Amino acid sequence: MSRAFCASWKVSCCEYCTNTMMDKLTRILSEHLLECKLFATLGCLLVASIYGLRWRKRECIHRKMEKERKRRETSVQSMKQAVEKFHKLNPGVDSGAILSLTFQELTEKLQNGSLSPETVLYSYAKKALEVDCNVNCVTVFLSDCEAQLKGLREKEGKGPLYGVPISIKEHVGYQGHPSTCGFVQYLSEVEEEDSIIVKVLKKQGAIVFAKTNVPQSLLCCETSNPIYRITVNPYNRAKGVSGSSGGEGALIGGGGSILGIGTDLGGSIRLPASVCGIAGFKPTSSRQSLGGVRPCIDGMTAVSLCSGPMGRDVNTLVIFMRALWCDELFRLDPYVTPLHFNEEIYSSTKPLRIGYYEEDGYFKPNPGMRRVLLETKHLLEDAGHKLILFNPPRVGYAYELFWKALLADKGETVADKFKNNIMDPNLEESARLKNMSNVVKRILCFVLQPIYPRISSAINSSLGARSVKHLWKEQIAIQEYQTEFLTEWRKLNLDVILCPMLGPAFNVGYPGKLFAPLSCTMLYNLLNYPAGVIPVGSVTAEDEEELKHYRGYSNDPWDKLYKKAVEGGLGLPLSVQCVALPHQDELCLRLMKEIETLSNRHQKRR
C-alpha cells in the first residue's frame, strides 16, 4: 500500500508542478505578448535578412560573371571580324599551308619576309576561333593585336620571335585585362602593365593574341571554373585537358596556337602537354621571372611556381628559351639567374648516361605509360646512350612533403579566396577535406593507416603546420630530401633521367578526385629540377585490354578511381618525361630533342 501511495503521490506532484509551470508561462506570455511578437518578428527578419544578403551576394557574383562572359564574347566577335576583313582583303592567303609549318620554318619565313606578321596572326586567329568553339579554351582574344602589329612595323630590326603569334595562360598579367585564376573578385582588378615575361616576348617581336583557360584556384587538374566554364580535350570531348595550363594545352593541341606560355607548380605545364599531345617544358624556377603573374598560393615559397613554354615540338621550346633568356629579362628582373642559353650543352653529341625508372613506388603507371617508356628506353640504347636503372628515393615521403608545403596554413589562404565566389564542382572534394577539423582528420588518419596508408598520409599532409618552428622543420625536411635525391643521382653519375609521364587524358569529372598520380610530376617541383614532356605514342587496343587487369599497388580507392578515369583512351596521346639537374635546362631539352627525333623516325618506319 505504501509503495502504491508513494507512486500516486509522485505522479500528483509532477502533474501539479507541470500545471503550475504552464499557468505561470501562460501568464507571462499574456503579460508580455507584445514583446514576444516583437522578438519573433525580429527573429524572422534576421533570418530573412541573412538569406536575402546571401541571395544578393550570389546574384552580384552571377552578374559579374555574366558581364565577363559578355566581354569575352565581344572579343570573340571582334576577332572574327578582324579575321574576315583580312581574308577578304587577302583572298589568296593559304592559311592551311601556314598552319602546317613547323615553328622553325615559320620563324625563318617571317625573318626573310616571305610571310608577313599579319598573315600569320590572322591564320592562327582563324584556327583559334574554330578550336575555341569546339573545346572552350580561350578566355579572351586580345584587342590590341593591330596595335602590336603597328609597333612591329615601326620597330627597327627583327627580334628572334618577330611576328610569332603567342597565347598566354589566364593568370599571366596583360595590361588592360584581369588575371582571375577563376575567381570573381579579381575581375575588377585590371592589370596596369604587362607581366615581365610578356614585356620580353614583345621586345623579341612576338604578338600576344589570346589568354587561355585555367582551373579555379589553379590547384586542380580539371580546367574548369565558374566564370569561363570547362575546357575539353581536342582529341576527345569526353576527356579533360588536365591543368592548370589546360587552356594552353587544348589550344596548341588543337592547332590554334603554335606557342604558349604556361606555369607549373606540381605539373601544370607537363600534364596538359602530355594529354594534349604536345611538348612542354618546366625550367629551373630561378631562370624564369614571375613578375606580374598572379600566384596560386600567396606567400607560399617552399615549392616554386615556374613559367615555361608549350608547343608542338622541342624546337619550338628551344627557340623560345633562346629568345627569353636575354639581357632584357635580366634587366627587368634582377632576381632571375642571368644565364643565356648554353648552345654547347644543347648541341653536344656526346652519348648520355640516362637514369630511368618504370615506376616510382607510390603510383603505378598504367600499361600504356609503361609501354611507351620502355620503347623509348630501347630507342635510346640503340642510339648509343647508356641507360641505367634508377630508384627514386622515398617518393611517397616526397609527395607528403609537397602537400605539407602547399597546405602549411591548412589551406586557409586559398579558402579565403572562395568567400566571395561560387565554387567549381571539381573542387568540392578538396573543400570537404579542408573543412574537416584536425581532430576528425587525425581520427581518420589513425583508422585508415592500416588499410589505406596512401590516403591516410594525404589527410595527414593537410593538417597544417602547428607553429612557425614546425614550419621551418618541414622546410628543412625538404632540403634534406633534395640532398638525398641528389646523392642517389650522383652515385650513378647520371646526366639526365627518363621517367613515366601521366596519361592518357582523364574522363571529365575525375581529375578533381585524384591527386595520387601527380607523384610523377610534383617530385620535380619539390626538387626544383628542370623537366619536360614529349609525346611518343598513343594508347593501343592492347593497352586498353591490359588496363582491365590494372590494380595499382594496393587496389585501394585511388587505384580503382584512376582505372575508371583513363578508360576509353584508345588513340589518345602518351608521353615520357625528361629531367636534368638544376640549371642544366639545356641538357633536359637535348634529351627531349633526341627522343623526339628517334620516336619520329621509329614511327615513320612503321
Side-chain angles (χ1 to χ4, degrees):
M1 288 292 293
S2 61
R3 288 182 179 177
F5 175 78
C6 287
S8 175
W9 183 79
K10 286 179 180 179
V11 170
S12 299
C13 286
C14 288
E15 288 177 352
Y16 174 77
C17 290
T18 302
N19 291 335
T20 303
M21 287 175 65
M22 289 300 295
D23 289 342
K24 287 183 178 179
L25 182 62
T26 302
R27 189 165 58 253
I28 291 169
L29 289 174
S30 299
E31 292 172 358
H32 301 281
L33 183 61
L34 183 62
E35 291 91 334
C36 291
K37 287 182 178 180
L38 180 61
F39 278 120
T41 303
L42 288 172
C44 291
L45 286 172
L46 179 62
V47 171
S49 297
I50 291 170
Y51 278 98
L53 287 171
R54 286 182 179 177
W55 177 84
R56 186 175 178 183
K57 179 180 175 182
R58 198 172 181 85
E59 283 298 301
C60 182
I61 291 170
H62 278 291
R63 283 196 298 271
K64 288 180 179 178
M65 291 195 299
E66 191 57 37
K67 183 180 178 181
E68 176 62 12
R69 289 175 193 146
K70 287 179 179 177
R71 186 182 81 94
R72 177 192 180 279
E73 184 57 30
T74 299
S75 80
V76 170
Q77 294 305 319
S78 296
M79 185 58 82
K80 279 183 180 179
Q81 292 171 8
V83 168
E84 289 170 2
K85 179 181 177 182
F86 174 80
H87 284 285
K88 189 175 181 180
L89 295 172
N90 302 273
V93 170
D94 186 352
S95 294
I98 294 170
L99 296 174
S100 68
L101 295 172
T102 66
F103 190 82
Q104 187 165 342
E105 291 169 340
L106 183 70
T107 53
E108 287 173 358
K109 288 182 178 294
L110 284 164
Q111 291 288 337
N112 65 30
S114 57
L115 279 178
S116 69
E118 292 90 345
T119 302
V120 175
L121 170 64
Y122 290 117
S123 293
Y124 269 97
K126 181 180 179 181
K127 183 64 177 178
L129 288 162
E130 178 189 320
V131 174
D132 178 60
C133 183
N134 291 329
V135 301
N136 185 46
C137 55
V138 175
T139 60
V140 67
F141 285 97
L142 300 174
S143 58
D144 67 341
C145 289
E146 283 290 342
Q148 291 184 66
L149 287 169
K150 183 180 178 183
L152 277 186
R153 287 191 289 266
E154 295 173 351
K155 187 187 296 184
E156 291 184 9
K158 296 179 179 180
L161 298 177
Y162 175 78
V164 175
I166 292 180
S167 49
I168 58 174
K169 189 174 179 179
E170 195 272 346
H171 74 130
V172 176
Y174 196 90
Q175 186 178 26
H177 295 268
S179 304
T180 70
C181 300
F183 288 118
V184 171
Q185 68 265 34
Y186 294 135
L187 286 171
S188 58
E189 295 185 17
V190 175
E191 301 289 353
E192 295 182 0
E193 61 178 332
D194 291 335
S195 56
I196 287 176
I197 194 168
V198 168
K199 288 178 180 178
V200 176
L201 291 175
K202 288 183 175 180
K203 177 77 173 179
Q204 299 290 49
I207 299 172
V208 186
F209 76 103
K211 296 187 82 174
T212 54
N213 206 15
V214 295
Q216 189 177 35
S217 81
L218 309 181
L219 298 174
C220 181
C221 289
E222 187 84 275
T223 295
S224 174
N225 62 74
I227 304 171
Y228 305 110
R229 303 190 174 102
I230 192 167
T231 299
V232 292
N233 198 289
Y235 285 87
N236 183 337
R237 289 167 57 85
K239 300 282 185 175
V241 291
S242 194
S244 59
S245 306
E248 281 302 318
L251 185 60
I252 299 167
S257 178
I258 197 167
L259 171 63
I261 308 304
T263 59
D264 196 310
L265 182 68
S268 297
I269 287 173
R270 291 160 288 159
L271 291 165
S274 173
V275 303
C276 293
I278 62 174
F281 181 57
K282 179 199 80 69
T284 307
S285 64
S286 59
R287 294 186 74 175
Q288 298 293 95
S289 175
L290 286 174
V293 177
R294 188 178 292 280
C296 305
I297 306 173
D298 306 70
M300 194 282 297
T301 58
V303 180
S304 298
L305 180 68
C306 183
S307 62
M310 303 167 73
R312 292 184 202 163
D313 55 34
V314 179
N315 272 345
T316 304
L317 313 182
V318 170
I319 295 170
F320 171 84
M321 299 315 304
R322 282 183 184 135
L324 182 67
W325 289 334
C326 64
D327 292 337
E328 180 69 3
L329 174 64
F330 308 145
R331 183 186 69 81
L332 290 172
D333 192 342
Y335 294 101
V336 171
T337 304
L339 292 175
H340 293 276
F341 191 90
N342 192 318
E343 296 290 349
E344 184 179 352
I345 292 177
Y346 179 70
S347 302
S348 173
T349 56
K350 179 184 175 183
L352 295 168
R353 288 180 60 84
I354 305 170
Y356 78 94
Y357 57 90
E358 297 177 41
E359 49 191 72
D360 59 21
Y362 184 79
F363 163 72
K364 192 169 186 177
N366 64 56
M369 290 170 62
R370 184 189 297 270
R371 175 182 57 80
V372 297
L373 178 93
L374 292 176
E375 287 176 355
T376 303
K377 169 187 175 284
H378 295 318
L379 290 174
L380 288 165
E381 286 177 325
D382 292 343
H385 300 287
K386 180 73 172 176
L387 274 291
I388 302 142
L389 183 63
F390 175 75
N391 293 311
R394 300 195 296 163
V395 173
Y397 174 64
Y399 183 86
E400 190 172 340
L401 288 177
F402 175 83
W403 285 109
K404 282 182 176 179
L406 267 61
L407 301 174
D409 67 340
K410 303 178 188 178
E412 294 292 342
T413 299
V414 175
D416 286 345
K417 297 181 181 183
F418 284 98
K419 290 179 179 177
N420 295 310
N421 274 279
I422 294 171
M423 180 177 287
D424 188 87
N426 292 287
L427 292 167
E428 289 175 357
E429 296 245 348
S430 301
R432 276 196 287 272
L433 178 62
K434 189 270 165 203
N435 291 331
M436 284 183 192
S437 71
N438 275 8
V439 173
V440 173
K441 288 179 183 179
R442 287 192 174 96
I443 292 170
L444 279 174
C445 288
F446 178 78
V447 171
L448 294 174
Q449 179 59 38
I451 47 176
Y452 300 134
R454 286 194 307 183
I455 298 174
S456 173
S457 173
I459 295 171
N460 181 63
S461 300
S462 69
L463 291 171
R466 296 188 297 273
S467 63
V468 174
K469 182 179 179 180
H470 182 236
L471 175 63
W472 288 349
K473 284 184 177 180
E474 293 294 345
Q475 293 177 347
I476 290 170
I478 292 174
Q479 294 168 358
E480 290 173 345
Y481 181 78
Q482 291 171 340
T483 301
E484 178 183 351
F485 194 97
L486 181 60
T487 300
E488 294 301 313
W489 181 299
R490 286 185 167 158
K491 278 181 184 177
L492 300 176
N493 192 28
L494 301 177
D495 295 314
V496 285
I497 281 179
L498 169 70
C499 54
M501 184 59 214
L502 186 63
F506 285 12
N507 292 312
V508 168
Y510 281 89
K513 305 170 186 176
L514 268 172
F515 290 96
L518 295 183
S519 66
C520 66
T521 55
M522 68 82 209
L523 176 62
Y524 298 108
N525 294 87
L526 187 76
L527 295 168
N528 193 20
Y529 286 13
V533 299
I534 187 72
V536 291
S538 57
V539 179
T540 65
E542 290 78 11
D543 295 334
E544 283 283 284
E545 186 61 31
E546 287 184 40
L547 181 65
K548 294 176 182 177
H549 309 291
Y550 178 87
R551 292 177 58 85
Y553 283 120
S554 55
N555 201 31
D556 65 13
W558 282 356
D559 286 328
K560 293 174 182 177
L561 201 61
Y562 173 70
K563 181 179 175 181
K564 291 180 181 179
V566 296
E567 285 176 345
L570 184 64
L572 291 181
L574 291 170
S575 300
V576 292
Q577 183 172 209
C578 305
V579 183
L581 292 175
H583 298 104
Q584 294 292 308
D585 304 65
E586 293 86 351
L587 200 54
C588 182
L589 288 165
R590 184 197 159 191
L591 177 60
M592 292 172 67
K593 180 60 180 176
E594 182 80 356
I595 290 171
E596 181 183 65
T597 302
L598 294 171
S599 179
N600 290 343
R601 190 182 300 158
H602 178 67
Q603 289 175 23
K604 285 178 182 177
R605 288 173 183 168
R606 290 181 176 180

